[in-house]
Amino acid sequence: MQISHKTINNAINRKFIRPLKDGCIYNVSKLENERRTKHHETISLLKQAHKTLINVDYNLKSYNLVDANTLLRSSFEYIMMAMMIQFDENVYNEFTTLGIERDRTRVCEIIDKFRTHMNEICELAFKDINRKEKLSMLTELYDKMCNFTHSTLIVSTVIEINSQKEKEIFQLLIYQNYHFLKMLLFVCLKYFTNDNKHYLELGNVGITYLFLLANISNKIQEYKIDFSKYNDLLYYDKNVKYFEKDKKETEKLNVEINEFKEEVQNNPEKFYEELTNFLK
């Protein structure tokens, strides 16, 4: 089955990008008068998270990769804190005090607590992910964003990238994190507004991510990009453990992709039907 890039991109825009954008805009506008929020600060932080994600998109389109990641991390922290001051009064009490001495509002603590409320926020999206996987998913995402935010080797290396094709690959990779955070904001907003008008079908989300990952893989092959040339800039010999961990994550992703391929081969009619509906 041959599918044009235009057909795929149009489908992704109709079934994923546009519903996500419209849903966030609508639900942010409803927050101000939402009685389910215990504290006004929750509303402020979620609204700022939305504004910040808009700026992330702008920076990514301009290939400002470091700035985009810095803003992504900020948006992540706004969402986490906004929800935790809703769920935990002890967190709220510390949040309302100024100073650098933190206990309950340290990011690692907030992430750990937030994962225990993910099913409450959106059971449909998170019920099949266990608590350990939730913590790993959120922590690894935050660590990656921090590597692009603090004065790290990653930042100095990205600054050295001159190839437009390589910048494009990094841009697409960062967009994956952007989409995830926007979906997280989306479900957090809907937790308060109970909006039934705007929604994302999980099947459409899954197919979208498959197409986005396939696009990245295809472009890496098409552009013949070899990231090993950055080993010296990243002091590979001193950071083998880090890269081995990253390699294991890639291998895990490949296993999941192969499992999906096997599932499609075992039940091609079902996948074809889902794909056809997605492309309509």
Side-chain angles (χ1 to χ4, degrees):
M1 182 180 181
Q2 292 289 336
I3 311 171
S4 70
H5 290 298
K6 183 178 180 180
T7 299
I8 293 171
N9 290 336
N10 286 342
I12 290 174
N13 189 59
R14 286 195 316 273
K15 301 293 178 70
F16 180 74
I17 302 294
R18 177 56 63 179
L20 189 56
K21 179 180 180 181
D22 291 347
C24 284
I25 291 173
Y26 174 84
N27 283 289
V28 162
S29 72
K30 294 293 182 183
L31 263 189
E32 196 67 48
N33 299 316
E34 183 48 60
R35 295 180 180 178
R36 290 188 67 193
T37 54
K38 295 179 181 178
H39 308 291
H40 183 75
E41 289 85 354
T42 291
I43 296 174
S44 299
L45 288 170
L46 290 177
K47 287 172 69 175
Q48 184 58 50
H50 182 239
K51 290 179 181 178
T52 301
L53 284 173
I54 292 172
N55 288 329
V56 170
D57 186 37
Y58 174 81
N59 275 277
L60 282 175
K61 287 175 179 174
S62 303
Y63 293 97
N64 297 324
L65 304 179
V66 173
D67 288 345
N69 262 289
T70 300
L71 292 171
L72 265 182
R73 191 188 78 154
S74 293
S75 184
F76 179 92
E77 292 174 351
Y78 298 151
I79 294 170
M80 296 286 115
M81 188 64 74
M83 299 310 292
M84 285 316 306
I85 63 177
Q86 169 77 14
F87 292 129
D88 191 328
E89 284 299 307
N90 289 321
V91 172
Y92 176 72
N93 290 334
E94 186 171 287
F95 172 81
T96 57
T97 62
L98 298 174
I100 62 173
E101 291 185 6
R102 303 279 97 180
D103 180 21
R104 299 180 187 275
T105 55
R106 288 185 296 132
V107 177
C108 60
E109 291 295 322
I110 292 297
I111 291 174
D112 187 47
K113 290 184 174 68
F114 177 83
R115 55 124 174 203
T116 67
H117 293 279
M118 291 174 75
N119 287 6
E120 181 181 349
I121 293 169
C122 185
E123 184 178 9
L124 183 63
F126 302 120
K127 65 179 180 179
D128 293 329
I129 309 173
N130 65 45
R131 290 181 59 172
K132 184 177 180 181
E133 290 170 337
K134 288 183 176 79
L135 181 60
S136 176
M137 175 178 67
L138 295 172
T139 302
E140 288 175 8
L141 172 60
Y142 188 69
D143 285 347
K144 283 182 170 61
M145 291 187 294
C146 284
N147 279 333
F148 274 91
T149 303
H150 300 309
S151 299
T152 66
L153 282 172
I154 301 293
V155 172
S156 63
T157 300
V158 170
I159 292 170
E160 296 291 331
I161 297 175
N162 296 314
S163 165
Q164 190 60 34
K165 291 179 178 179
E166 291 177 7
K167 287 182 179 180
E168 182 182 350
I169 297 300
F170 276 102
Q171 177 204 51
L172 294 173
L173 288 169
I174 297 169
Y175 259 120
Q176 300 288 85
N177 295 335
Y178 164 81
H179 291 318
F180 174 78
L181 283 189
K182 196 158 188 178
M183 285 190 291
L184 189 61
L185 174 64
F186 179 69
V187 296
C188 287
L189 292 170
K190 281 167 64 71
Y191 169 80
F192 293 110
T193 64
N194 287 320
D195 168 38
N196 293 317
K197 180 180 178 181
H198 300 88
Y199 60 91
L200 291 173
E201 293 185 7
L202 289 183
N204 290 339
V205 173
I207 293 175
T208 294
Y209 263 75
L210 281 173
F211 276 129
L212 294 177
L213 287 172
N215 182 43
I216 294 170
S217 177
N218 291 338
K219 285 188 179 293
I220 289 175
Q221 293 179 29
E222 177 189 347
Y223 296 161
K224 297 180 173 59
I225 292 178
D226 178 15
F227 291 110
S228 64
K229 67 182 182 181
Y230 292 109
N231 284 354
D232 288 342
L233 288 171
L234 292 168
Y235 294 86
Y236 184 89
D237 292 341
K238 292 175 65 175
N239 295 290
V240 170
K241 287 185 179 180
Y242 176 85
F243 292 107
E244 285 298 320
K245 180 183 176 183
D246 201 49
K247 182 180 177 182
K248 287 180 181 178
E249 291 176 13
T250 303
E251 290 172 350
K252 181 182 177 182
L253 178 61
N254 288 332
V255 169
E256 291 174 353
I257 291 173
N258 289 331
E259 287 175 351
F260 173 77
K261 288 180 180 177
E262 186 176 338
E263 184 179 335
V264 171
Q265 290 170 355
N266 292 335
N267 198 348
E269 293 83 8
K270 179 183 176 183
F271 176 72
Y272 182 79
E273 181 181 354
E274 291 177 350
L275 182 60
T276 302
N277 289 334
F278 179 77
L279 296 173
K280 284 181 180 178

